[in-house]
Amino acid sequence: MPAPGSLGLDQLTDKVGGAALYADLRRYYGVDLADLWHGTLTPRRVLWLIEHLPEDSATVAALRGGPEHRAWTTPAHLLATVVDAVQLGTWTTIAANARRRPTPPKPLPRPTQPRRRAARVVTVAEIAAHQQNGTV
């Protein structure tokens, strides 16, 4: 966790999104995030609950890179690795006994970390154009 208490919860909410946190706290613990404003729930307690969310939760998926990571728990990654190893072993046997080399198998697709986009540089001319249009 980035920081204790409300600062840490604020940082986590910025990173993950409030909807994922809200849904996970309701689903797994029956806790309403709105109770923070009613005084019946503390930010530190929310962080403790979030820390122990299962790896198939929306919050953990968001921290890993997005919703495509939701189904990719540790057992799913291990199973995909086993499937890739079996395919590679089968291909090796076929390639060793074949006259022509067969095409190697492709590994099962897995979710990847999203690539960060490079920061776009805004020119003075663009800022001036937006100010003239009243869109700033």
Side-chain angles (χ1 to χ4, degrees):
M1 293 293 153
S6 55
L7 177 61
L9 186 57
D10 184 49
Q11 291 172 347
L12 187 62
T13 304
D14 285 345
K15 186 184 285 187
V16 172
L21 286 174
Y22 181 82
D24 283 341
L25 290 174
R26 291 293 281 177
R27 177 180 179 197
Y28 294 106
Y29 304 118
V31 172
D32 191 349
L33 198 55
D35 289 342
L36 278 169
W37 291 273
H38 299 152
T40 57
L41 187 63
T42 65
R44 185 175 301 268
R45 181 170 176 223
V46 171
L47 286 172
W48 287 339
L49 294 173
I50 291 169
E51 188 176 337
H52 297 286
L53 283 170
E55 59 180 335
D56 66 339
S57 68
T59 302
V60 172
L63 288 171
R64 288 181 176 169
E68 64 274 6
H69 291 266
R70 184 103 187 239
W72 283 91
T73 59
T74 300
H77 277 284
L78 291 172
L79 185 57
T81 302
V82 168
V83 169
D84 289 344
V86 168
Q87 287 180 342
L88 189 59
T90 303
W91 174 81
T92 303
T93 302
I94 293 170
N97 296 311
R99 292 183 183 168
R100 290 185 308 149
R101 183 172 183 234
T103 57
K106 293 182 181 175
L108 290 176
R110 294 167 175 81
T112 58
Q113 292 290 342
R115 295 184 182 176
R116 290 188 176 184
R117 295 181 184 171
R120 183 170 131 15
V121 178
V122 179
T123 64
V124 175
E126 289 175 322
I127 294 171
H130 284 292
Q131 286 177 341
Q132 289 176 352
N133 295 336
T135 58
V136 174

